[in-house]
Amino acid sequence: MAAPTTQSARSMADKIDPARAPAALERWRRAVAEAMGGDPGAPLDRPDRRLLMLRVFGATRRLAELCMTHPDAAATALIDGASPVLAEAARDLTALDRGVGGPDALHAALAPLKNRVDVAIAIAEMSGEWSVANATAARVDFAERMVETGLRWLVRAAVKRGELTVDDPENFLKGVFVVAGSDFAHEDLSPFGPLDMIVLYDEKAFAAPVARGADRIFVRIGAELREAFEGKPGEYPLYGLRTPLGSGVGGAGFADSIARVKATASGPQADALKMWLGAARIIAGDRTAGGAFLEDIEQIVWSDNPIAMEALRTFVAQKDNDPRGPFRRVAGLCRLAIGGVRPVFRTASAREIFDNASRSRTLTSDAARRLVAGEELAHIAVSRLQMMKGAAVTGVEREDEQRALALLCGYSDYKDLEVALNGARTDAMNTLRRLAAGPQEEISLYRSGAEKEGDADKLEDLGFLNGQSLSEAVDNWARRAEARLGGKRFSSHAPGLLTAFGETQHPNDAVRLFDQLLANASEKYDVFSLVSDGGERRDGLVDAFGSFGAVVEPLTSSQALAETFFESTGAETPQSGKEWLSRFTPPAAKGKTALADLAEWRRELLARVAYNAATGATTFDAAVEAFEEVHLRTLTNVFEIVRDQAPAAEQKAGGNIALHVFESDGPHLPFAASHLGFIASEDTGEAGEAFAKRYLQSLSETGEGVFAVTPDATHRPGGVAGPVVSEVKAFKSYVQSEAVAHEQIMLARGRVIAAGDDKIEDSARDALRSAIAGARRADILFRDLDRARAQRMRRERPASEWDIDRLEGGRSDVELVISTLIYKHASAHPFVQDVGPAEALDAMARSGLISEEVAQTLSSARAFWARLQLVRSLAGWTDPLKAPVRRRFGGLIARAAGVQKFEQVRPMMRGYAEEVTRSYSQIVLGRPSLNVATPAAG
């Protein structure tokens, strides 16, 4: 059944009547049964799902039509979630890459896919399965894919007609890209937009005879793109389109040359365009040319020709009837005021702007929370209104539509919804006025009553929470020291100890652990000798207790473990992960207390490694290796323990199961998830599921806090809804069709670490190896991978410049680059999957797949980020704004980074980030480089 494409007079005149919903629901159920070859039955009979569909048919017009047109999409979204529908639509969209025809044909090709996506996202959001942020991100992602498809379709047609001449027919978008602004750029998009965008092109990219006519061709392409997306008059649009370069009438302003736009932005009276471009991003086309354009625009907007204050005042004073308006202006003002020095603000969503502004103290935390809640309500109201009407509208006047919108937003009466929206808007406008005025206006009210700050307790000045309690502890130390040291005062024996503790990141932990060590250490050891003036162990103990206290605490908890602090160090101290495991072997995997014994062994060994790293007795590189080796050994031994202790049926099933881990996230460090999976040689049924779940539960019980293990087995056929244990056949099918780009890359670095027997181990290893592919398939995958990375970076922006897992060019990126190299070359060179990343890079360099320089850069960057992340996670430190770095902790970070001073770490981070980003561009995006050996690239 074809989707209704026109907004008929009847449909627009018909009132929305909830009383029609039951009959519509029955018709929809019959349509579902016909489309899916049978009625799903119980899954659709759940009361909450029936109520949701009654709401759809009783309170919407366009969404109800689409559910009738695509009943299978609606049913799938209800039962399995929106992801399968979106994945299918994305695959169908990719198949349009070679489409031909004019804007009418493009509209006809895109409309069914957009309609199915609208249905799936709307149901996922309205059912509560997806948050508003997740639904909006999915809309933006699919809109970007549609724009990419539309641009390629129309430009390729112009090239085939001979209107545009390009050097490389396979790279016909060279110099052509789409810049998005406003809600589209900031992931605040509603179901029908509008999409704010411009198609830009570089005149130099086209041969001389055609260059003069390129303007005319691209103006027509802009008009065709608008026609394809908005449809003809009377048709339902896919999206409304807007441009900052003009009215858009006849396609004007939707396409222009790079040179003209830069010239316009550099000229007078261009503040509105500069505000738009300053917060824009590239969404389609030649991203290399687009990136260069944004770098030039950055110079124009933020440095050479800043936006005039009068333009900012005009922006703040704008008024409109859009419920989201005040929230957009608060977010926009933050972008313009802070974006020059903190680029993270430029393209962030309104929610992210409010959160970041709160963390940076631009907004108070309570104001930010109110803004987040109010903006979400306004966004819900507009999104559901557009779902109801099928157009890019923001206001409602008809009484029946007001009542329907209230129902869609969870209100009994429209007046209640209106009051809530108006209250949120008023609060946002108040925040906007206060933000624009700055703090000086309020400060002036208090000048006459300003009070002088009194002296704080000296101990609390050092960073201790309770000076009185600490004073009592120190008095206790002094009495014990005097008895131990033959009358010598503690202050003369260990001068400056409290000051040293105060310079650590967690001074209170340092005092507590030292007190605990005094209580538990054997009388034959002199604990005070550890902290004596000039003692060789003093600095290491202070750093360990004050910065890594949560990890080293087990060493202070018993008399036996306290002996660790008195052991000699030197050549006998392990200097690699394997040496640590060789010296401190794990307990046997059999017996009733095997799991508890393993957990205790793990705690003690990790505590020893952390303490020796803090003292400098072992390197941070060795500590990273040790944490990874201990983690893998724990996963393996828990598997054997569960097999030994499980009921007979589960034991039998476990004999046919192999356990694999994904190493694409890098060395496993505290607080990181453990990505793993299970593959079976045959259907192990409920017993196999029970075995896997018993394993996951046992793994979760091996520690808590910094010692916690958080297993994640969601990367499997069917996702969280599928069985935990996958048959080999199902797993291979998942690899070939279901696994998304990121999961394909994860699988390339999957490794079997435990198995019931050799047969299933070999089968599981073979299944994992089926994920790799040659260069041709890899190039296709990398495009999707880059898009997913861009989406992730917009959704999960770094909380600070030290959020190195989310930092561009940081730890995640270097692991991603290494994983893509392994994915691309493992089919021809399987050995790169069987060794560690450093060995794989070295092997690829020896084989001529990459240069030695690239291998060394990636290996060094990986080790650098891992060391920094280890120090951060052991200290439980994330944000320098909330917890400024104290002197001694800064010294630990500097030592992990391989520099002398903490001030030198950030330049090192920037240098490595730039190198990794450059490697990502060359290896993943395929930009030319002398570093990659082209003869062997395939």
Side-chain angles (χ1 to χ4, degrees):
M1 180 167 56
T5 59
T6 59
Q7 305 176 61
S8 67
R10 182 190 61 77
S11 70
M12 295 304 293
D14 277 355
K15 285 188 175 182
I16 297 176
D17 186 1
R20 299 176 182 173
L25 178 60
E26 291 306 314
R27 291 197 305 274
W28 175 73
R29 286 295 292 268
R30 291 195 294 270
V32 169
E34 182 180 347
M36 301 182 74
D39 192 330
L44 293 182
D45 289 330
R46 273 178 33 181
D48 58 329
R49 290 173 177 170
R50 286 185 60 85
L51 179 59
L52 172 60
M53 294 312 296
L54 285 171
R55 190 177 298 136
V56 168
F57 291 118
T60 72
R61 183 179 294 114
R62 180 57 175 166
L63 181 58
E65 290 179 355
L66 293 179
C67 285
M68 286 295 189
T69 307
H70 303 285
D72 54 332
T76 301
L78 270 177
I79 299 170
D80 299 324
S83 297
V85 180
L86 267 61
E88 181 184 13
R91 289 194 294 270
D92 292 344
L93 196 61
T94 303
L96 298 180
D97 191 54
R98 296 288 177 179
V100 294
D104 290 348
L106 178 57
H107 179 88
L110 294 177
L113 306 183
K114 169 65 161 49
N115 293 341
R116 293 176 69 86
V117 167
D118 281 344
V119 168
I121 295 177
I123 287 176
E125 181 187 331
M126 292 172 64
S127 67
E129 290 296 322
W130 278 10
S131 67
V132 174
N134 289 340
T136 306
R139 285 193 188 103
V140 172
D141 177 56
F142 197 76
E144 289 183 21
R145 292 172 183 266
M146 288 179 62
V147 172
E148 177 85 37
T149 299
L151 182 67
R152 294 178 66 85
W153 180 303
L154 296 173
V155 174
R156 183 190 295 107
V159 172
K160 286 186 175 180
R161 289 192 297 265
E163 297 169 339
L164 294 174
T165 304
V166 295
D167 296 332
D168 181 3
E170 294 300 317
N171 189 22
F172 55 87
L173 286 185
K174 181 179 181 182
V176 182
F177 53 90
V178 178
V179 186
S182 194
D183 290 349
F184 196 9
H186 309 146
E187 288 202 356
D188 287 323
L189 191 65
S190 297
F192 291 89
L195 306 182
D196 289 80
M197 50 181 269
I198 321 169
V199 178
L200 294 183
Y201 60 93
D202 183 359
E203 294 173 323
K204 300 175 183 176
F206 303 99
V210 182
R212 290 187 296 274
D215 288 350
R216 175 177 55 81
I217 303 302
F218 276 102
V219 167
R220 194 194 68 217
I221 288 174
E224 290 177 341
L225 194 61
R226 182 185 185 185
E227 183 179 342
F229 275 68
E230 293 191 345
K232 293 181 178 179
E235 289 184 334
Y236 280 110
L238 305 180
Y239 292 102
L241 261 63
R242 286 192 311 205
T243 171
L245 296 180
S247 64
V249 176
F254 281 106
D256 210 334
S257 72
I258 295 174
R260 263 197 305 274
V261 171
K262 289 199 290 191
T264 303
S266 301
Q269 308 301 318
D271 287 321
L273 178 60
K274 285 190 291 186
M275 284 190 278
W276 192 92
L277 290 172
R281 62 183 178 85
I282 308 303
I283 60 158
D286 185 347
R287 296 178 185 271
T288 302
F293 168 77
L294 288 186
E295 288 178 2
D296 294 340
I297 287 298
E298 179 177 9
Q299 185 69 22
I300 294 171
V301 173
W302 303 108
S303 301
D304 297 344
N305 193 11
I307 298 165
M309 286 302 300
E310 187 58 37
L312 291 177
R313 294 191 191 96
T314 302
F315 173 77
V316 170
Q318 287 177 358
K319 296 185 183 298
D320 56 45
N321 293 323
D322 188 335
R324 304 165 299 176
F327 303 98
R328 298 292 189 267
R329 286 190 287 279
V330 173
L333 184 59
C334 289
R335 290 187 187 99
L336 297 171
I338 308 171
V341 294
R342 295 197 63 187
V344 68
F345 277 85
R346 296 177 190 171
T347 58
S349 67
R351 169 188 285 271
E352 292 170 331
I353 290 283
F354 303 148
D355 288 339
N356 288 333
S358 173
R359 282 194 289 267
S360 63
R361 296 178 175 82
T362 303
L363 291 172
T364 61
S365 58
D366 61 325
R369 285 194 295 270
R370 295 198 307 272
L371 287 171
V372 168
E375 191 274 338
E376 182 165 305
L377 176 61
H379 190 74
I380 288 173
V382 172
S383 294
R384 296 184 184 177
L385 175 62
Q386 292 191 5
M387 294 175 199
M388 178 206 304
K389 302 192 72 169
V393 294
T394 58
V396 58
E397 296 180 357
R398 285 174 37 169
E399 184 177 338
D400 62 312
E401 292 179 347
Q402 289 178 348
R403 178 182 57 184
L405 181 60
L407 291 173
L408 291 174
C409 295
Y411 284 79
S412 300
D413 189 273
Y414 179 73
K415 290 182 180 179
D416 295 335
L417 172 62
E418 190 175 33
V419 168
L421 286 171
N422 287 339
R425 281 172 57 91
T426 300
D427 184 58
M429 288 188 286
N430 171 67
T431 302
L432 181 63
R433 287 191 296 270
R434 289 174 64 86
L435 193 62
Q440 295 305 318
E441 183 176 312
E442 183 178 357
I443 288 175
S444 63
L445 299 174
Y446 308 121
R447 281 178 182 163
S448 60
E451 297 177 359
K452 293 183 179 180
E453 191 175 17
D455 292 333
D457 182 274
K458 292 182 179 180
L459 291 174
E460 293 178 3
D461 277 348
L462 289 175
F464 299 102
L465 296 178
N466 190 326
Q468 180 62 35
S469 175
L470 175 60
S471 180
E472 293 173 0
V474 173
D475 287 343
N476 178 48
W477 298 351
R479 287 192 296 271
R480 296 188 59 169
E482 189 172 351
R484 182 87 187 193
L485 303 172
K488 186 177 181 181
R489 296 184 53 147
F490 178 68
S491 58
S492 61
H493 176 72
L497 180 61
L498 286 182
T499 300
F501 281 157
E503 291 172 341
T504 63
Q505 200 64 14
H506 306 293
N508 296 283
D509 282 352
V511 171
R512 180 176 58 82
L513 293 182
F514 185 69
D515 211 33
Q516 196 165 297
L517 178 61
L518 279 172
N520 292 327
S522 170
E523 286 296 326
K524 67 179 180 180
Y525 294 113
D526 181 7
V527 175
F528 293 108
S529 68
L530 298 174
V531 294
S532 63
D533 187 23
E536 63 177 358
R537 300 174 188 263
R538 170 169 160 157
D539 286 341
L541 183 139
V542 168
D543 287 338
F545 282 4
S547 293
F548 298 165
V551 195
V552 302
E553 182 169 1
L555 301 181
T556 67
S557 60
S558 71
Q559 186 176 104
L561 291 176
E563 295 182 6
T564 304
F565 300 103
F566 301 93
E567 293 174 352
S568 59
T569 58
E572 62 272 23
T573 304
Q575 295 301 322
S576 71
K578 287 182 171 56
E579 288 182 16
W580 277 105
L581 251 65
S582 175
R583 181 170 174 184
F584 300 94
T585 56
K590 294 188 181 293
K592 293 182 178 180
T593 63
L595 188 63
D597 294 343
L598 180 68
E600 188 62 27
W601 165 82
R602 179 172 172 270
R603 282 168 51 87
E604 292 175 9
L605 182 50
L606 294 182
R608 288 178 183 274
V609 173
Y611 174 69
N612 280 274
T615 63
T618 192
T619 65
F620 279 109
D621 282 320
V624 169
E625 288 181 25
F627 269 74
E628 176 69 358
E629 291 288 341
V630 170
H631 177 66
L632 292 176
R633 183 61 63 88
T634 301
L635 297 183
T636 303
N637 283 21
V638 170
F639 188 88
E640 296 303 322
I641 292 170
V642 172
R643 280 196 66 198
D644 181 63
Q645 297 181 356
E650 293 180 25
Q651 286 186 2
K652 182 179 178 181
N656 294 316
I657 293 174
L659 170 70
H660 62 273
V661 295
F662 299 113
E663 299 180 325
S664 55
D665 286 342
H668 187 275
L669 303 175
F671 304 110
S674 303
H675 298 287
L676 46 83
F678 304 88
I679 300 177
S681 56
E682 58 187 35
D683 184 6
T684 55
E686 294 183 2
E689 291 293 292
F691 174 83
K693 291 175 182 177
R694 184 184 299 274
Y695 172 82
L696 296 174
Q697 179 62 33
S698 299
L699 203 57
S700 301
E701 294 172 357
T702 56
E704 58 185 19
V706 72
F707 299 105
V709 179
T710 309
D712 179 353
T714 58
H715 299 285
R716 63 181 192 259
V720 293
V724 181
V725 181
S726 309
E727 288 186 71
V728 171
K729 183 178 179 181
F731 189 85
K732 289 184 177 180
S733 176
Y734 159 75
V735 168
Q736 296 300 322
S737 59
E738 184 182 342
V740 297
H742 177 66
E743 290 173 327
Q744 295 275 3
I745 295 300
M746 288 180 67
L747 290 164
R749 287 178 67 182
R751 184 155 65 92
V752 178
I753 60 169
D757 57 32
D758 293 342
K759 182 180 178 181
I760 180 55
E761 182 176 356
D762 292 339
S763 298
R765 186 175 291 109
D766 177 65
L768 286 170
R769 285 186 171 176
S770 69
I772 59 176
R776 179 172 298 179
R777 181 183 169 194
D779 290 339
I780 296 172
L781 180 77
F782 291 173
R783 287 205 301 266
D784 289 339
L785 187 67
D786 180 57
R787 187 186 299 276
R789 172 180 174 269
Q791 291 287 330
R792 175 183 60 79
M793 292 181 68
R794 288 196 299 275
R795 287 195 302 269
E796 304 173 6
R797 297 178 183 274
S800 74
E801 59 188 7
W802 284 91
D803 192 353
I804 59 180
D805 273 345
R806 297 180 178 179
L807 193 69
E808 184 172 13
R811 197 166 82 101
S812 294
D813 274 358
V814 72
E815 296 293 345
L816 181 60
V817 173
I818 295 171
S819 298
T820 55
L821 282 171
I822 292 173
Y823 178 90
K824 188 171 185 177
H825 298 300
S827 58
H829 305 274
F831 58 84
V832 299
Q833 277 190 296
D834 298 329
V835 295
E839 296 171 272
L841 289 169
D842 185 52
M844 283 187 275
R846 291 197 308 270
S847 301
L849 302 175
I850 58 176
S851 70
E852 291 186 5
E853 181 185 354
V854 169
Q856 183 60 41
T857 296
L858 293 175
S859 183
S860 299
R862 182 178 188 271
F864 174 81
W865 292 124
R867 293 194 302 269
L868 286 190
Q869 183 67 1
L870 177 68
V871 173
R872 292 176 69 242
S873 57
L874 293 184
W877 177 79
T878 57
D879 191 343
L881 292 176
K882 295 180 180 178
V885 174
R886 299 187 181 222
R887 188 182 72 83
R888 297 190 74 95
F889 181 52
L892 280 177
I893 294 176
R895 180 148 58 83
V899 295
Q900 295 296 318
K901 299 179 180 178
F902 175 70
E903 292 74 16
Q904 298 170 327
V905 178
R906 281 292 298 148
M908 287 282 289
M909 292 172 64
R910 284 192 290 270
Y912 273 113
E914 289 172 3
E915 289 292 332
V916 172
T917 302
R918 188 177 299 115
S919 297
Y920 177 86
S921 299
Q922 294 162 359
I923 294 168
V924 180
L925 302 184
R927 295 174 185 168
S929 170
L930 296 177
N931 291 345
V932 180
T934 53

